[in-house]
Each structure stands twice: as structure tokens, then as C-alpha cells.
Amino acid sequence: MGQQENLTLLPMSSSSSSAAAAADAAPSPAASGRLFTAGLVAAWYASNIGVLLLNKFLLSTYGFRYPVFLTACHMSACALLSYAAAAVSASSRAARRQQPTAPRRSRGQLARVALLGAVFCASVVAGNVSLRYLPVSFNQAVGATTPFFTAVLAYAVAARREACATYATLIPVVAGVVIATGGEPSFHLFGFIMCIGATAARALKTVLQGILLSSEEEKLNPMDLLGYMAPVAVILLIPATFIMERNVLSMVTALAREDPSFIWILLCNSSLAYFVNLTNFLVTKHTSPLTLQVLGNAKGAVAVVVSILIFRNPVTFMGMLGYGITVAGVVLYGEAKKRSK
């Protein structure tokens, strides 16, 4: 009896030791989660900086001076890939025999989405136009003033006030850009105006998006919102392209014949525009708002360094000092907002 018990216990102890060894070898769930989040952040950085550099390459270095058409390509890719993602999600729910969740949208919400799509479209077009005339480093310095425009427009549109300390932190945000502007050797007035316009439109989009996403009755997540906004932007951009850039199709055809890689660059650039939004959504979902803000500030600095290394645009001490002051102001702004809540 005892011998029989020994025979049955030996395999159990062996399997237990094997399981323990496997448990020791396998990464912990926390470590796996951190690794997954790090991968998402890396993908967000790569897609965001990649689309920025490709835009600059196409619009400036390559000589493809059609920013409205380029934006139309971006929005078309966002619309198509959003539809494909929705179709995959629907088929996955059908395979699991789950009821589809397709909430009805009111006319008021669709009108707000259309307005948001128009603002989004304007911000991307103006940003692409500015890249024709300004280096990426200065473009990012001006773009860092988004919190200033967000605070101003939040008060103007939604009557949302911030604490006095929060408004005080916006002083170095603006002062840094003023310093960077004075020390920018490649300054171009029209490009600067377009960059300011893009930044203000981006801030307005953030304010309107916050209002739309906070509605409990008609709640949308950011990726669903992109799926609604992108077709609106395409509808607006197609006629704008043919009015403002009439010879773009003949130019695209000619470039494709001369350089077949041009089409691949255009497709890659357009697809990255969607993945910027997708990875931003996933990083937002898997991190805290404070972490996202810190990562966003670091992303801008990384983009500046990478663009200088690639495009070799001249930079001055005053320019870098101004950008540093702006980034410091943005960090202080985030801290002040966190304390005021």
C-alpha cells in the first residue's frame, strides 16, 4: 500500500517541479504588461515621428508641393482602415455569437462630428502646408504651444476656467516660442502663420472632442470618432484638392512613372496617419493621463533631434533655448492642472 502510494506520489512531485520551473521561467503578468505598454509607446513614437518626417520629405525635400492632396490621402487611409477595423471587430463578435453594439447616433451628434471633422481637416492641412516652409524642429516648437490655445479656447467655447497658477504656467510656453522664433535661421512668415493656425485648430479639436466624448448619452471612443470624422474630411478635401491643386493627378502619375517608390512612400505615409491615431488611443488606454502627457512632451523632443539628424537643418542656441523653455512650461502646465483637480 505504501509502495503504491510512493508510485503515485513520484509523478505528482515531478509534475509539480516541472510546473514550478515553468512558472519561474515564464515572465510575470506585471512584467508582460510593462513590456506590452513599452511596445505600444515605441509604436506610437515610430508612427508619429515617421509620418512627420515623411511629410517633410515629400513636401520639401522630394518637391511634392501638394499638401491638400497629401492630407486627402491621409484621411482616405484613416476612413478605409477604420472601416476595415470595424468589419474585423464585427466578424469577431459574430464568431463569438455576441450581439453587435451599434448605438444610434442623433442628428445633433452627427452635426458635431461633422464640425469636428472639418476642424481636424483644417489642422492637418495647415500643418502640412507649414512643413513646406519650416523645419520640423521649429514646427514642433510652435506645436508645443497647444496647451496655451487649448486653455484660451476652452474658456471661449465651453466657459471652462483654469486656476490662476495654471494660466501662469502658460507664460513660459509662449515666451519660449517667441525666443525660438527670434533665433530660427529658417524662419518663414507664411509657414509660421500656417503652423500657428494648425496649432490653434488642433487645440479647438481637442476642446470640441472633449465635449463630444464626455456626453454620457451619446458616448464615442476616439477610434469610433476617427471613423466618423475621416469620411467627412475626405468629402471636404476632394473638391478642395481639385480647386487648389488642379494638376496634382497628372503630377502624381508623372512621379509614379519616373520613380515607382513614390507610390509606396505615399501609401506608407497615409497608412502611418491611421496608426498614429490607433497607437495614441491604445497608449491612452494603457497608461495614465499624466504618463501620456510626459510621453507626449518627450516625443516632441525626440522628433526634433531625429529631424535635425536627418535633414541637417541649422539650429541656434537661442532656438534650442526657446524650445526648452516652452517644453518646461508645458510640463509645469501639466503639473498645475493635476494639482487643481
Side-chain angles (χ1 to χ4, degrees):
M1 191 78 169
Q3 188 178 4
Q4 193 175 11
E5 288 179 357
N6 288 338
L7 287 173
T8 55
L9 285 172
L10 282 172
M12 288 176 64
S13 61
S14 175
S15 62
S16 299
S17 62
S18 299
D24 291 338
S28 66
S32 298
R34 285 193 297 269
L35 188 63
F36 178 72
T37 303
L40 286 178
V41 172
W44 180 40
Y45 273 36
S47 58
N48 200 300
I49 296 173
V51 75
L52 184 66
L53 297 180
L54 279 175
N55 284 347
K56 178 63 178 177
F57 172 75
L58 285 170
L59 294 167
S60 182
T61 308
Y62 197 90
F64 183 73
R65 304 185 184 281
Y66 300 96
V68 180
F69 175 79
L70 186 62
T71 308
C73 291
H74 290 177
M75 294 300 101
S76 298
C78 287
L80 291 172
L81 291 173
S82 294
Y83 177 79
V88 170
S89 178
S91 63
S92 176
R93 284 195 300 267
R96 295 195 302 267
R97 296 182 179 179
Q98 292 182 349
Q99 290 294 326
T101 55
R104 296 184 57 166
R105 304 298 176 200
S106 69
R107 289 185 178 179
Q109 187 187 39
L110 292 176
R112 290 192 292 272
V113 168
L115 174 62
L116 194 59
V119 174
F120 181 44
C121 175
S123 70
V124 178
V125 170
N128 285 341
V129 170
S130 73
L131 284 173
R132 280 185 57 184
Y133 304 99
L134 298 177
V136 174
S137 55
F138 187 58
N139 180 281
Q140 289 293 289
V142 176
T145 61
T146 301
F148 168 77
F149 290 99
T150 303
V152 171
L153 291 170
Y155 178 75
V157 174
R160 193 170 70 230
R161 293 190 177 188
E162 303 287 353
C164 292
T166 304
Y167 286 122
T169 60
L170 295 174
I171 296 173
V173 171
V174 177
V177 170
V178 172
I179 295 171
T181 301
E184 176 54 50
S186 304
F187 179 80
H188 190 283
L189 181 59
F190 179 71
F192 177 71
I193 292 171
M194 286 292 100
C195 197
I196 289 288
T199 306
R202 198 179 305 122
L204 179 59
K205 171 185 167 288
T206 300
V207 173
L208 295 176
Q209 183 173 302
I211 296 171
L212 191 62
L213 295 181
S214 62
S215 172
E216 292 297 330
E217 297 82 13
E218 302 171 321
K219 199 154 191 179
L220 282 168
N221 70 54
M223 293 312 294
D224 289 339
L225 187 58
L226 178 67
Y228 285 102
M229 285 195 308
V232 173
V234 172
I235 292 170
L236 294 172
L237 286 166
I238 287 176
T241 299
F242 287 111
I243 292 170
M244 300 170 66
E245 301 170 348
R246 297 180 181 180
N247 64 332
V248 65
L249 292 182
S250 59
M251 182 59 69
V252 169
T253 304
L255 286 173
R257 288 174 179 171
E258 293 174 10
D259 182 11
S261 65
F262 168 74
I263 295 298
W264 292 108
I265 295 172
L266 197 60
L267 288 173
C268 178
N269 187 27
S270 302
S271 300
L272 279 176
Y274 172 77
F275 286 105
V276 167
N277 293 279
L278 176 63
T279 53
N280 180 270
F281 169 65
L282 293 174
V283 170
T284 305
K285 186 177 179 180
H286 288 85
T287 63
S288 66
L290 180 60
T291 302
L292 185 71
Q293 185 177 12
V294 173
L295 291 171
N297 294 335
K299 175 176 60 63
V302 172
V304 168
V305 172
V306 172
S307 70
I308 292 172
L309 292 175
I310 292 177
F311 295 110
R312 306 287 182 180
N313 57 282
V315 291
T316 63
F317 172 76
M318 289 296 289
M320 295 308 295
L321 175 64
Y323 180 68
I325 292 173
T326 296
V327 172
V330 172
V331 172
L332 291 174
Y333 174 80
E335 287 293 321
K337 283 207 67 167
K338 184 179 72 171
R339 291 179 181 179
S340 66
K341 288 182 179 179

